[in-house]
Amino acid sequence: MDATGAHSHAARISTPYPMASFETPAHRCHHHSCGELHCCALRPPMVKFSKQFEGQLVPEWKEAFVDYWLLKKDIKKLQAAAGAEAAPLQSQFQAPVAASHWVMRLPFLNPHGHHKEHGAIQVHRKLASGGNHGAVAGEVYETEVLDTAGFAGAEAEEARAFFQRLDEQLNKVNQFYERKEGEFLERGECLRRQQQILVELKAAVTEARRRGGSSAAGSADPEDPSVSCSILHGDQSLRGITEQEHESQEKLADDATAKNTDEGEDHLPISEGLGDSGRIEKPREEAANKLRTFSGRAVTCQGRSVRINIPVTTPSRTVFAIRELLFDDMLSQSRKTGGNGGDGGEKLSINKKKVHQAEKMIRGALVELYKGLGYLKTYRSLNMLAFVKILKKFDKVTAKEVQTIYLKVVESSYFNSSDKAIRLTDDVEELFVRHFASGDKRKAMKYLKPNQKEESHATTFFIGLFTGGFVALFIGYCIMAHIAGMYTHQSNKVYMSTSYPVLSMFSLFFLHLFLYGCNIFMWRKTRINYAFIFEFAPTKELKYRDVFLICTTSMTIVVGVMFAHLTLIVKGYSSSTVQAVPGCLLLVFLLVLVCPFKIIYRSSRYRFLIVIRNIILTPFYKVVMVDFFMADQLCSQVPLLRTLEYLACYYITSSYKTQDYGYCTRVKHFRDLAYAVSFLPYYWRAMQCARRWFDEGDINHIVNLGKYVSAMLAAGTKVAYENDNSAGWLSLVVIVSSVATIYQLYWDFVKDWGLLQFNSKNPWLRNDLILKQKYIYFISMGLNLLLRLAWLQTVIHPNIGSLDSRVTLFFLAALEVIRRGLWNFYRLENEHLNNAGKFRAVKVVPLPFHEVEED
């Protein structure tokens, strides 16, 4: 196959990532709405292929792609060696420079117009040691540079080194492709069996509904008839089942990544799932974690013995699991006291609700499998294109014709010749269309290939427009506040106690949101797959421009309203209506947040509310990455939460009518509520750690829980010191806060950021770094250290000139928000590198049904 054929082979590249248009030497490629790249022959490239290649590859699989940059370095070494060999010859012939360049291009053709070099290399296929997966699977390639190639001296050595490196890359690509293909094929077969069981159970439930659900045993809801199934009594305890599935999942992951995972790397998984439907027969342990799955008992239904495992992710499932646990204990006790009286006569109802939950899980698993197959197709096409480009460079530098020879080998290699993944893609698509889209392929493609939300230039325009409006209004507000003498020790006490908190609260919130937008920008720029880590839907996630637009628009409105309100105050208007303006502004934003209409980013607003709900009800909801990430953000927004509690008290109790701004601080239960609000974020975060330890059994979560307990103790001592400024409480504040700070810094640097690894190739950092400038990491650690010491303001009581103390506290709160924005980037960088170390680019969705072999 020649280079043109190779280009045509790579002319259609499927990729699930949003990508800009790019060009190759013979093609211009654009991103189609279906998620594929289509290329057509056009003018020469405008961007280097290496940058295009880096921008299109799957980030989590980067180490498994062809190392194009390393091969380019080998080409440069070869070119330098060839120049050194040619220098003595050039000194003998006084040919013009232009002629020498012309001669370098001529060896491609002889006087008769045919290729001059045909036997430069010879590629050998060998069976890899230990390769027992068949002839193709166990093959490796070794290239021999023949003596007839015309290389001499250092040039010959560099040529051999280049082809040795090229062989290593080809073998690496083949092995990774085969391993991932095998995983996807196994997952596909497992999902096929899952779908068969689901179809049988749905048919049974439908039949029960047709006959009348009232006769179904064990059905609590007469409108939701259940299928009666026999419980298999063996030693299939829920704890044992859970442990088997967890061990089976770990075994599959370890087998897939044994050569690529650093043993010393600390990793906290962002998702759980089952990669295998098989069972590992091991002794069962005590039922300490029976609540981890919902309806985990084995049943026999329609002639098939299956086990239904629905993860405990919601409060209702948690309550049901507790009820199941109590029932199992009572059943176990009755068996002990009654001997062998049980013959398996108990019944388990499988109603429509459980079947629907199982159907949802299988649908999600199919979507993730389809996405993974799309990544594998991208992996195949991009690597083929990389081989074409690097061989073309070699031919250009050496004036040898080896591209055709080696590309034939690449074409016939496993990653390019296997069609199993392509056929599996078609099968998954057909299965999804038939069972989850009612035969409507267009509907199915909305799930399997969701269209990326296109970015509009209008968004950028309005960002600039509202930024200008915000700056102008803010300058006007500052001038007016200065003229009125606000924000000083002699300022209007009513205004500073009632209106200023509204402005400071909005400022802290949108500063945090703005920094999140900056995080998104940097994550995209550095190819950190934050959407996968947070499990965002590709059609609903906020882009950084959307975040900036929300910030600029909202702050323009807030500053504009507060400017108008301050103008009325300065002019002497102090009626209850004027005092209610800041409260009305807050109410409007809260109404927009919960607005049910499909306007103003409804999907993102509701996603935010769902995450907040999950945090508040933490022990009852399964904790995922986005939940504890948001809870960490709340830990940095304690001043905002306390301000929100105060404002709610001020306006709900109608204190604004009498301008009694001290009422909410005088009444004991409101004052106690304000202190409780200071503890809530740390409590929620601690409960999340407890729930994650319960689900995963990782002791690191208990250690992390201790960090938040120390933060609560530090917050408690500060509150006590505010009420009693004695030397004893001051000493306790310093001691407890210092211990908590050291605890937090250790966890920030070592666990959350993965830094301070003494044996890494980057001293005091870690082996893999996304940012090329190492000093940035040290600067960030220093800033994090300084900003973690903000609690010292409790002891020092700093004042900036004549500014009101509340303004000083606002600046300190803003510094903590800035620290959290800095923390966010490195936290996701570490999580992304953990995923890349395990080549985890798709989420593994747990499967509901597991067949049980009867004794």
Side-chain angles (χ1 to χ4, degrees), residues 240-266:
I241 291 168
T242 304
E243 291 300 321
Q244 292 173 41
E245 291 165 351
H246 185 66
E247 291 167 359
S248 180
Q249 178 192 358
E250 287 186 345
K251 180 177 181 297
L252 183 66
D254 291 342
D255 291 342
T257 62
K259 296 182 180 180
N260 304 92
T261 305
D262 187 353
E263 296 296 337
E265 184 177 7
D266 179 73

Side-chain angles (χ1 to χ4, degrees), residues 361-375:
M361 294 170 67
I362 295 175
R363 183 183 65 186
L366 284 171
V367 170
E368 291 299 320
L369 175 60
Y370 193 86
K371 185 190 298 183
L373 291 169
Y375 289 165

Side-chain angles (χ1 to χ4, degrees), residues 145-165:
V145 179
L146 302 179
D147 295 336
T148 58
F151 294 114
E155 185 181 10
E157 292 299 325
E158 294 296 340
R160 293 189 184 92
F162 169 78
F163 280 106
Q164 182 180 0
R165 183 97 63 187

Side-chain angles (χ1 to χ4, degrees), residues 65 138 175 387 426 548 556 640 660 684 704 823 844 850-851:
F65 276 82
Q175 292 167 7
F387 280 116
D426 296 336
F548 291 156
T556 300
L640 182 148
D660 185 7
W684 290 331
N704 195 17
W823 180 91
V844 182
H850 300 273
E851 297 186 43

Side-chain angles (χ1 to χ4, degrees), residues 205 219-221 224-227 349-356:
V205 171
S219 178
D221 186 358
D224 189 10
S226 305
V227 180
S349 61
I350 304 177
N351 55 27
K352 188 176 180 181
K353 183 177 180 180
K354 294 179 183 177
V355 173
H356 177 71

Side-chain angles (χ1 to χ4, degrees), residues 4 17 23 34 120 157 228 235-236 272 304 317 396 401 413 435 475 520 560 595 604 629 643 707 765 774 793 814:
T4 305
Y17 285 104
E23 296 180 356
C34 68
E157 292 299 325
S228 179
D235 54 354
Q236 294 285 341
E272 292 184 345
R304 186 190 297 270
R317 295 182 189 177
K396 181 178 180 181
E401 185 64 22
S413 64
H435 294 285
I475 292 174
I520 294 177
C595 177
S604 298
F629 185 84
T643 301
K707 181 185 71 172
L765 299 177
K774 298 179 184 179
Q793 56 86 19

Side-chain angles (χ1 to χ4, degrees), residues 730-750:
L730 176 60
S731 302
L732 194 59
V733 166
V734 173
I735 294 172
V736 176
S737 298
S738 299
V739 172
T741 301
I742 294 173
Y743 203 156
Q744 292 163 355
L745 287 172
Y746 167 79
W747 203 268
D748 285 345
F749 296 150
V750 178

